[in-house]
Amino acid sequence: MEKRYQAVRGTYDLLPAAARKLAAFLKLVTGRLEQAGFQELETPVLEEARLFNRSVGPDSDLVTKEMYTFQDRKGRLLALRPEGTAPLVRAYLEHDFTYHAPQARFYYLGPMFRYDRPQEGRYRQFLQLGGELFGVAGVQAESETLDLLNRVFNLAGLPEFRFEVNSLGCRACQEEYGRRLSEFIEPRAGGLCPDCLRRSKQNPLRVLDCKVDACRKILGQAPVVGGFLCPACREHHRLFLECLRLLEVPFLENPRLVRGLDYYTRSVFEVTLAGGGNALAAGGRYDNLVEELGGPATPAFGFAIGLERLMSVLPEPPAGRAGLRILYLEAAHLPEALRLVRRFREALPVEWPVTVAPEARSLKSQLRQAARDGCRMVAVLGPEELARGEILWRDLESGRQVSLPPETMIERLKNDAQP
Ligand SMILES: [Zn+2]
Ligand SMILES: [Zn+2]
């Protein structure tokens, strides 16, 4: 026998209960983002591969090991987007926002793809909600955003969490730091993995992302970038932390926090649970990327929330409304049942589920099924009630029932009763 079909390794089906939980969070976060002036901007899943080489960096793990690339039928090298910032910057430039809305803020929601080792909460196709703020050089961008995320995570009921923050400095700071890092690495190069050896020559900062234990041990002793900040970067970071304190955003300075992408400058952050573990959200400032992708010099800051990981630690939302089910006892009454279900659906708010029984079976078995499906009320089309122009109305919780004309029921439902 043929093997059963299964979802591709590293992907998953979003099942109804998880989808409801996700939808509740998305409603909360997009509402807050819109309130704070962010507008939705969605880019395609496919981009030219060179966009990520240029932005994320040709030496990053993300580009060298994790990106899904392929040639299309015309031989163009395309990539399934591994992250959302570069495509958004591409769109920001392509649609001339630099000209008519240089300080625009955007958010996006969609799947990203990375060929990573699948593990708990980490998938090869994963869902990210991200935001980008363009054209603000000062700490307002990062301070306001972290405050907003702090508020959203609190409202969503995320258990004890914190923002780990660091400054990676400007390009000048990073060059100085890179030189010092190379000096540190050189006498220790023998202990590093081949990837790090290659990186240490091309882009020493990327050595800090290595996940190999031996490398991590050596680099745990390396100098940190914070020691090499220029006066302007030091002041920027000081002011950022001052804003966080004033806004009561729970944060922790982590001088070893580097993000595995080349474009970050100055403020970077990750959101983690107080007990540790993988980041639930992360981001940072990227003051050079817009220019590096061909636009005018434009400072920018962005964040992304990893929705699978976040969902795995958020509490369950309160249960939705239980529904109303129309039951009919004789096959001949199907047309009347369909007419009624439509009237109810039109009269009641869309949040109230109104369903019709799939077939005319015994009342007892239909009631049992309605209870199993979580219905709170049933309306029974019985021959005697129909002859009187009424239907039988039964509350499955209390067991009370009453026979009424449909109009009266609709009015009652609209006015008070929770179905
Ligand atoms: Zn600097
Ligand atoms: Zn290494």
Side-chain angles (χ1 to χ4, degrees), residues 192-197 199 207 209-212 214-216 219:
L192 296 176
C193 74
D195 277 343
C196 283
L197 273 182
R199 291 185 192 121
V207 171
D209 314 325
C210 189
K211 290 168 187 115
V212 176
C215 300
R216 291 179 80 125
L219 293 158

Side-chain angles (χ1 to χ4, degrees), residues 37-39 41 43 84-94 97-99 101-108 130-138 140-142 145 284-291 293 295-303:
F38 287 79
Q39 308 174 76
L41 194 167
T43 65
T85 297
L88 216 109
V89 172
R90 197 259 313 134
Y92 173 77
L93 291 173
E94 187 169 337
F97 284 102
T98 46
Y99 175 69
Q103 292 190 312
R105 307 168 161 203
F106 303 104
Y107 70 91
Y108 60 86
E132 316 289 344
L133 296 81
F134 293 99
V136 180
Q140 187 202 333
E142 47 264 60
T145 304
R285 185 168 272 288
Y286 51 94
D287 289 340
N288 306 93
L289 183 57
V290 176
E291 197 174 5
L293 292 180
T298 307
F301 176 81
F303 71 90

Side-chain angles (χ1 to χ4, degrees), residues 169-170 173 230 233:
C170 62
C173 300
C230 68
C233 286

